[in-house]
Amino acid sequence: MKKPQKPTNEPLRIQTLNELGILDSEPDPQLDRLTEFVAHVFCVPVALISLVDSDRQWFKSKIGLDACETSREISFCGHAILGTEVFVVPNTLKDERFKDNPLVIGPPYIRFYAGAPLIHKNGSALGTLCLIDIEPRTFDEDDIKVLREVADKVMWEFCH
């Protein structure tokens, strides 16, 4: 398993998360609707709005997962926030970064991951809108476009 690196703007990213006051905040019905929407559109058992804190990822909204947070060290979202493009892992068992990850070899047995970074206007990737499946799958350019558009809506909700 490869642990995710920290973005070069990590101090600004954490400061932005704290200033927005969204970590450990109450559920938001509008965000829950967006999470439900992507889970339905992409027919995945798990969809999350994940915020990556200094040592954990916390789920602002979740469908199909009981956990409220996981360690950043084993998170897929920790890898996804290193860039601005949608991060896709079609088959976790064939990816050297993830094939022995505890979330792959044990519950919830992740086989597919797609995460659209939630990019703040200051350039910080605060977390992701992500999709998880227990089966490998493909994710084409149209899928990427839809997930990116919904992630932009999530970010708009955070900032307004």
Side-chain angles (χ1 to χ4, degrees):
M1 180 188 83
K2 183 178 179 185
K3 295 178 183 176
Q5 297 177 341
K6 296 205 174 175
T8 55
N9 67 346
E10 181 72 356
L12 175 63
R13 203 182 68 70
I14 295 298
Q15 177 185 343
T16 303
L17 270 172
N18 291 330
E19 287 174 356
L20 288 172
I22 51 180
L23 281 170
D24 300 308
S25 59
E26 293 296 317
D28 181 313
Q30 179 61 21
L31 294 174
D32 290 343
R33 281 192 288 279
L34 293 172
T35 307
E36 289 174 18
F37 172 77
V38 295
H40 176 75
V41 166
F42 292 105
C43 298
V44 293
V46 178
L48 307 164
I49 295 174
S50 174
L51 300 172
V52 181
D53 200 358
S54 56
D55 61 351
R56 66 182 174 138
Q57 67 175 347
W58 177 74
F59 306 126
K60 173 66 178 163
S61 180
K62 59 187 180 166
I63 299 295
L65 188 69
D66 291 332
C68 295
E69 63 183 57
T70 65
S71 166
R72 182 176 178 170
E73 288 188 346
I74 63 170
S75 74
F76 284 70
C77 299
H79 291 272
I81 65 166
L82 296 174
T84 57
E85 301 299 317
V86 174
F87 181 77
V88 179
V89 182
N91 186 341
T92 59
L93 295 175
K94 293 184 177 182
D95 192 306
E96 291 297 318
R97 296 168 294 185
F98 303 107
K99 69 180 186 178
D100 58 350
N101 182 298
L103 301 172
V104 172
I105 61 175
Y109 300 102
I110 297 171
R111 297 294 179 266
F112 166 84
Y113 172 91
L118 301 172
I119 309 294
H120 188 269
K121 62 186 174 187
N122 68 13
S124 299
L126 305 181
T128 68
L129 172 63
C130 66
L131 309 171
I132 294 170
D133 203 343
I134 57 172
E135 298 291 335
R137 61 189 295 169
T138 58
F139 208 67
D140 65 25
E141 289 301 316
D142 288 336
D143 295 332
I144 288 170
K145 181 180 176 191
V146 170
L147 188 61
R148 172 81 266 147
E149 288 175 1
V150 179
D152 290 344
K153 174 67 173 157
V154 168
M155 200 62 235
W156 185 89
E157 291 290 332
F158 283 155
C159 295
H160 291 90

